[in-house]
Amino acid sequence: FIKSLNLYSLSQVSAARQKHTLPDLMYDYGALQPHICAEIMQLHHSKHHATYVNNLNVTEEKYHEALAKGDVTAQVALQPALKFNGGGHINHTIFWSNLSPNGGGEPQGELMEAIKRDFGSFQSMKDRMSAATVAVQGSGWGWLGFNKDSGRLRIAACANQDPLQGTTGLIPLLGIDVWEHAYYLQYKNVRPDYVKAIWNVINWENVSDRLKAAHK
Amino acid sequence: VCAAGLSYSLSQVSAARQKHTLPDLMYDYGALQPHICAEIMQLHHSKHHATYVNNLNVTEEKYHEALAKGDVTAQVALQPALKFNGGGHINHTIFWSNLSPNGGGEPQGELMEAIKRDFGSFQSMKDRMSAATVAVQGSGWGWLGFNKDSGRLRIAACANQDPLQGTTGLIPLLGIDVWEHAYYLQYKNVRPDYVKAIWNVINWENVSDRLKAAHK
């Protein structure tokens, strides 16, 4: 009885204490040069993403309290902060894994076949995703996503930090961040140049892994 | 008869040819230093605002055609581009006039009285407007606006380039642009520092003029 009580108490405490954390990059801040400069990577990861993580933890803490009281008004009031900071954490975590200093080139295997099937060619997919991404009005992301119901790849764009899966149901495979902080120090207002350059550092293995995982 | 016909044709031609144009600044790009650096001002005015003007003209041209055909679907499809580029042109035109190298300090006369009446004090208005502006999620603007129905000053925030008057009915008096392009080169991710600094270059005469004009 005592053992099970202690285990129960411990799990309660550990459940309350699990916080989101900023993931480490698998490469140095300067590793994606010249396509994305080191200063951008450092600010983007250690300031912007870190802030989303911190604010997400604060928001979830407040949400926990509101939920415990059954306070619907407070829960609804917290929704924008949860979507913004939670989405920011989800999106950037995917993004860092989508990039690699060994990236670029073309995908292989199942992912390449799916791209050809759903877009006609790899170039066609790149062109359409680039156009949709550049066209985002204000802050947002371009996405290559997977529709589980149809089994098809889809291009989508989301505003601000709206997470792809939570808002559209599409499984995110590859995201391109076009908030100005993602490129402005290097590319200034010329967003198309940034979107063109980023294809040089796309980690197609990671995108493939995400497609495989989406099938399960 | 000939003269009347000619002037009719001329007015048709001149009406078709009136395009929006990029307004000149009343000060040099470097005039707002150290609060807003020259590089930001140059990119912001000659690239970002200029692009809104060009795209607004293109959009209005297309809208003119759709309207002439009574094509509602095409008109609706053009609405986002009209609001985005039209709002961008309106907002930035107001913004440049809201700023001055001789700005800062405190307003006088009717505007100061209205601020005290509606916010308690000038500092209170600054604090509340700063908070609302910093809190914008993603790209957008903070505004001090005037409600014609109630005769009161109001603080508001708009997303992206949504124009204040067109979307809320409030008359825009003073705007603070918090798209990252407005501050990132100088302030990086520290938006609060930019919002704090910009009070040093606010042209209170212009804000007062806008309030006077709003009363008419």
Side-chain angles (χ1 to χ4, degrees):
Chain A
F1 175 69
I2 301 272
K3 253 193 187 166
S4 62
L5 179 65
N6 285 343
L7 281 171
Y8 177 73
S9 302
L10 278 171
S11 71
Q12 283 286 84
V13 166
S14 62
R17 285 201 178 157
Q18 273 163 7
K19 285 179 186 293
H20 300 280
T21 56
L22 180 68
D24 290 328
L25 299 188
M26 302 306 289
Y27 41 82
D28 291 340
Y29 286 138
L32 304 182
Q33 293 183 125
H35 310 292
I36 305 177
C37 71
E39 190 182 13
I40 285 178
M41 292 302 293
Q42 179 177 10
L43 283 164
H44 204 173
H45 177 256
S46 70
K47 300 290 181 188
H48 291 274
H49 188 177
T51 299
Y52 290 127
V53 171
N54 294 339
N55 290 344
L56 172 61
N57 286 328
V58 168
T59 303
E60 281 193 338
E61 186 67 36
K62 290 181 184 172
Y63 202 99
H64 180 80
E65 291 171 18
L67 192 55
K69 294 180 209 162
D71 187 337
V72 173
T73 297
Q75 288 179 67
V76 171
L78 287 165
Q79 283 187 347
L82 193 290
K83 181 153 80 166
F84 187 64
N85 293 294
H89 180 39
I90 288 172
N91 294 339
H92 288 87
T93 300
I94 295 171
F95 190 48
W96 308 135
S97 74
N98 281 162
L99 306 174
S100 165
N102 308 313
E106 302 194 345
Q108 314 282 339
E110 183 202 351
L111 174 59
M112 186 55 142
E113 292 314 303
I115 287 172
K116 287 178 180 173
R117 180 197 65 210
D118 295 330
F119 298 99
S121 68
F122 177 62
Q123 189 60 46
S124 170
M125 184 280 290
K126 276 179 66 174
D127 290 344
R128 288 176 51 183
M129 185 170 172
S130 295
T133 302
V134 167
V136 168
Q137 288 184 350
S139 302
W141 291 71
W143 289 101
L144 177 67
F146 178 69
N147 182 325
K148 291 189 83 166
D149 299 328
S150 68
R152 297 212 173 287
L153 299 179
R154 281 281 175 270
I155 285 161
C158 292
N160 295 335
Q161 295 298 351
D162 292 359
L164 183 71
Q165 191 171 355
T167 57
T168 71
L170 291 172
I171 311 292
L173 306 180
L174 167 63
I176 300 177
D177 186 351
V178 283
W179 279 62
E180 285 170 330
H181 64 239
Y183 61 90
Y184 208 86
L185 293 178
Q186 183 172 357
Y187 293 93
K188 307 298 191 294
N189 61 302
V190 194
R191 186 189 278 182
D193 282 359
Y194 156 71
V195 172
K196 192 172 171 203
I198 204 169
W199 295 104
N200 290 297
V201 289
I202 299 301
N203 181 351
W204 292 113
E205 280 186 33
N206 177 262
V207 183
S208 292
D209 289 346
R210 291 181 179 280
L211 180 59
K212 286 191 186 66
H215 282 311
K216 292 174 189 166
Chain B
V1 168
C2 264
L6 186 61
S7 65
Y8 175 72
S9 300
L10 278 171
S11 72
Q12 283 285 83
V13 166
S14 61
R17 285 201 178 158
Q18 274 161 9
K19 284 179 187 291
H20 301 279
T21 56
L22 180 68
D24 289 328
L25 300 188
M26 302 306 288
Y27 41 82
D28 291 339
Y29 287 138
L32 304 182
Q33 293 182 127
H35 310 295
I36 305 178
C37 72
E39 191 182 13
I40 286 178
M41 291 302 293
Q42 180 177 10
L43 284 164
H44 204 173
H45 177 256
S46 71
K47 301 290 182 188
H48 291 273
H49 188 176
T51 299
Y52 289 127
V53 171
N54 294 340
N55 289 344
L56 173 59
N57 286 329
V58 168
T59 304
E60 282 194 338
E61 186 66 38
K62 290 181 184 172
Y63 201 98
H64 180 79
E65 291 172 18
L67 193 55
K69 294 181 209 163
D71 187 337
V72 173
T73 297
Q75 288 179 67
V76 171
L78 287 165
Q79 283 187 346
L82 193 289
K83 181 153 80 165
F84 186 65
N85 294 294
H89 179 39
I90 288 172
N91 294 338
H92 288 87
T93 299
I94 295 170
F95 190 48
W96 308 135
S97 73
N98 281 163
L99 305 174
S100 165
N102 308 314
E106 303 194 344
Q108 313 281 340
E110 184 202 350
L111 174 60
M112 186 54 141
E113 292 315 302
I115 287 172
K116 286 178 178 172
R117 181 197 64 211
D118 295 330
F119 298 98
S121 68
F122 176 62
Q123 188 61 46
S124 170
M125 183 281 290
K126 276 180 64 174
D127 290 346
R128 288 176 51 183
M129 185 170 173
S130 296
T133 301
V134 166
V136 167
Q137 287 183 350
S139 302
W141 291 70
W143 289 100
L144 177 67
F146 177 70
N147 181 325
K148 290 189 83 165
D149 298 327
S150 67
R152 297 211 174 286
L153 298 178
R154 282 283 176 266
I155 285 161
C158 292
N160 294 336
Q161 295 297 351
D162 292 359
L164 183 70
Q165 190 171 355
T167 57
T168 71
L170 292 172
I171 311 292
L173 305 180
L174 167 63
I176 299 177
D177 186 353
V178 284
W179 279 63
E180 286 171 330
H181 64 240
Y183 62 90
Y184 207 86
L185 292 178
Q186 183 172 357
Y187 294 94
K188 307 298 190 295
N189 61 302
V190 195
R191 185 189 279 181
D193 282 359
Y194 156 71
V195 173
K196 192 171 172 205
I198 204 170
W199 295 103
N200 290 297
V201 289
I202 300 301
N203 181 351
W204 292 112
E205 279 186 32
N206 177 261
V207 183
S208 292
D209 289 346
R210 291 181 179 281
L211 179 59
K212 285 191 186 69
H215 282 312
K216 292 175 190 169

